[in-house]
């Protein structure tokens, strides 16, 4: 069956070529571009603001419990700001991964 | 339209987000069938139609509907592998379900007279909380107490560690909040903007052509935003999942 053999050879050839093309495509896929920088920017802003709000509310709650009005509010608002920046930096780190 | 110009300028862009019962009057209970339930049901039916009936034939060379389903499937599948690695593939069904629910909710919300259930923080908040809780539990199950090392930075001086602990915990809890607010905020903002322009068109008489053109433009933008937000929600789920599977990276 020379015909059959020839067909098999052609098929192998084709699958070889296909896998070559696939490898090339997966290598050059612009994955990072889809994850656009505008989205990352919005994400970082949101995280910063929410971190601050989070700390602020946490401080307000602690003050309500302990009856020490401005102390925890100030401390936790600052810590919340730091937490927001921490979350933001973690997001920024994803960019160069 | 010309008669609208002498009426009072009365735009209520947020009225479209009111949840109202469809078949009954008065207060809402957990079993009340509202416009929100209706559109969740429509989304569910859409997903079933696409993924159960669309690919039932299982052709080797897919038809139109089947290739839509396959493209979505392969897209999410690839995203999970790219971000969370092969181990993350175990949780693919959940991530795929999330993506489909949000995608259908967002896209159906763009139909006129429809209701966008993803514009409510109550909905996106629950979705984000589910992701947050399950990812946290998963982190503890997979890594044991080592997962706490995420908060207790051993490379810092001992005196600083309690402060850093609070900062790290806050930054950890920021994630579900930003996760949910982004989706709901984007949906709500886009729909409200369209409604505001529509309100302008109602009182401008012949000049209404300008806001109508603006609506067309914003609608086109919304088509983009709607899909991107579903994508972003899903990709963030993958990122959090990856953090739980491989802490310290």
């Amino acid at each position: 069956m020379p015909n059959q053999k020839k067909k098999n050879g052609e098929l192998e050839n084709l699958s070889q070529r296909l896998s070559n093309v696939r490898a090339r495509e997966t290598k050059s896929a612009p994955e990072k571009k889809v994850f656009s920088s505008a989205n990352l920017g919005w994400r970082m802003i949101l995280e910063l603001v929410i971190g601050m709000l989070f700390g602020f509310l946490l401080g307000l709650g602690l003050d309500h419990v302990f009856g020490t009005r401005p102390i925890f509010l100030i401390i936790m608002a600052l810590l919340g700001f730091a937490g927001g920046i921490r979350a933001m930096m973690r997001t920024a780190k994803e960019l160069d991964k | 339209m010309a008669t609208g110009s002498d009426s009072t300028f009365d735009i209520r862009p947020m009225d479209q987000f009111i949840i109202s019962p469809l078949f009954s009057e008065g207060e809402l209970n957990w079993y009340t069938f509202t416009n929100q339930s209706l559109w969740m049901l429509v989304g569910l039916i859409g997903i079933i139609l696409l993924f159960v009936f669309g690919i039932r034939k299982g052709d080797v060379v897919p038809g139109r509907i089947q290739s839509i389903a396959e493209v979505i499937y392969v897209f999410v599948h690839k995203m999970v592998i790219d971000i969370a690695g092969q181990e993350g593939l175990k949780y693919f069904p959940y991530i795929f379900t999330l993506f489909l629910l949000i995608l259908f909710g967002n896209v159906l919300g763009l139909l006129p007279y429809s209701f966008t259930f993803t514009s409510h923080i109550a909905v996106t908040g629950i979705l984000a909380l589910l992701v947050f809780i399950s990812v946290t539990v998963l982190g503890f199950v997979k890594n044991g107490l080592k997962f706490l090392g995420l908060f207790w930075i051993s490379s810092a001086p001992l005196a600083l560690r309690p402060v850093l602990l609070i900062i790290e915990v806050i930054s950890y809890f920021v994630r579900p909040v930003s996760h949910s607010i982004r989706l709901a905020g984007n949906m709500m903002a886009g729909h409200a903007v369209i409604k505001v322009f529509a309100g302008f068109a109602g009182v401008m008489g012949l000049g209404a052509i300008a806001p109508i053109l603006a609506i067309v433009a914003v609608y086109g933008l919304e088509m983009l935003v709607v899909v991107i937000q579903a994508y972003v929600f899903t990709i963030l789920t993958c990122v959090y999942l990856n953090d739980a599977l491989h802490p310290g990276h």
Side-chain angles (χ1 to χ4, degrees):
Chain A
M1 296 212 173
N3 206 2
Q4 183 80 25
K5 219 175 232 168
K6 196 181 159 208
K7 221 175 211 170
N8 274 347
E10 260 172 18
L11 272 178
E12 296 246 310
N13 193 11
L14 180 67
S15 70
Q16 183 66 39
R17 261 159 50 208
L18 263 177
S19 56
N20 278 349
V21 167
R22 281 203 191 109
R24 207 182 320 139
E25 268 186 359
T26 47
K27 221 179 271 172
S28 66
E31 279 306 318
K32 294 283 175 321
K33 261 179 207 154
V34 181
F35 204 171
S36 73
S37 33
N39 262 320
L40 261 171
W42 275 111
R43 212 174 124 196
M44 282 151 78
I45 289 173
L46 255 179
E47 276 165 350
L48 185 64
V49 172
I50 289 168
M52 288 168 76
L53 280 181
F54 210 85
F56 183 80
L57 289 178
L58 217 62
L60 216 60
L62 280 176
D63 277 335
H64 189 75
V65 171
F66 297 120
T68 53
R69 179 63 157 208
I71 298 172
F72 277 112
L73 185 64
I74 297 168
I75 297 173
M76 293 312 282
L78 287 175
L79 284 178
F81 183 56
I85 291 180
R86 179 76 184 85
M88 210 176 90
M89 295 311 282
R90 201 183 291 154
T91 306
K93 217 189 277 174
E94 263 167 45
L95 198 63
D96 49 42
K97 198 161 56 176
Chain B
M1 231 176 239
T3 53
S5 54
D6 47 35
S7 71
T8 50
F9 192 61
D10 185 25
I11 307 172
R12 293 213 193 91
M14 302 310 270
D15 271 13
Q16 57 181 319
F17 302 119
I18 293 175
I19 295 178
S20 52
L22 284 183
F23 300 119
S24 57
E25 291 292 314
E27 66 181 271
L28 297 168
N29 291 303
W30 60 266
Y31 51 80
T32 313
F33 195 80
T34 59
N35 47 359
Q36 185 170 33
S37 338
L38 173 73
W39 284 97
M40 281 182 168
L41 205 63
V42 172
L44 181 68
I45 292 170
I47 295 172
I48 290 174
L49 279 182
L50 181 56
F51 279 89
V52 176
F53 295 99
I55 57 177
R56 196 171 45 176
K57 274 195 290 178
D59 293 332
V60 180
V61 178
R64 262 178 234 152
I65 308 242
Q66 192 183 333
S67 55
I68 292 174
E70 282 178 4
V71 162
I72 296 176
Y73 184 93
V74 169
F75 176 68
V76 179
H77 195 265
K78 200 157 164 284
M79 178 170 28
V80 174
I81 291 184
D82 279 349
I83 300 202
Q86 287 289 335
E87 292 160 76
L89 219 50
K90 228 187 279 176
Y91 312 97
F92 171 72
Y94 183 64
I95 295 170
F96 191 49
T97 311
L98 260 183
F99 180 74
L100 282 182
L101 177 71
I102 295 169
L103 183 70
F104 271 76
N106 288 352
V107 173
L108 285 172
L110 279 181
L111 294 175
Y113 295 104
S114 76
F115 180 86
T116 326
F117 61 79
T118 42
S119 65
H120 279 251
I121 291 195
V123 175
T124 59
I126 288 292
L127 292 178
L129 263 183
L130 278 177
V131 169
F132 178 70
I133 291 171
S134 48
V135 158
T136 308
V137 169
L138 192 73
F140 276 111
V141 169
K142 285 268 169 185
N143 307 291
L145 286 177
K146 253 198 292 178
F147 191 63
L148 284 177
L150 211 66
F151 307 116
W152 193 251
I153 318 284
S154 44
S155 58
L158 193 62
L160 267 179
R161 282 184 210 170
V163 182
L164 286 178
L165 172 74
I166 301 176
I167 293 176
E168 287 290 330
V169 168
I170 289 177
S171 81
Y172 190 72
F173 276 86
V174 160
R175 301 201 303 194
V177 184
S178 76
H179 202 182
S180 56
I181 285 183
R182 179 176 26 248
L183 177 58
N186 267 295
M187 289 304 106
M188 190 182 276
H191 287 73
V193 164
I194 291 180
K195 257 285 165 30
V196 168
F197 278 134
F200 287 159
V203 293
M204 278 174 73
L206 261 183
I209 191 79
I212 286 175
L213 283 178
I215 289 174
V216 173
V218 174
Y219 194 90
L221 185 70
E222 276 303 290
M223 288 298 276
L224 188 71
V225 166
V226 141
V227 179
I228 284 184
Q229 285 309 315
Y231 168 71
V232 166
F233 195 94
T234 323
I235 210 165
L236 282 183
T237 306
C238 294
V239 169
Y240 299 160
L241 180 67
N242 183 43
D243 281 355
L245 291 176
H246 322 277
H249 278 257

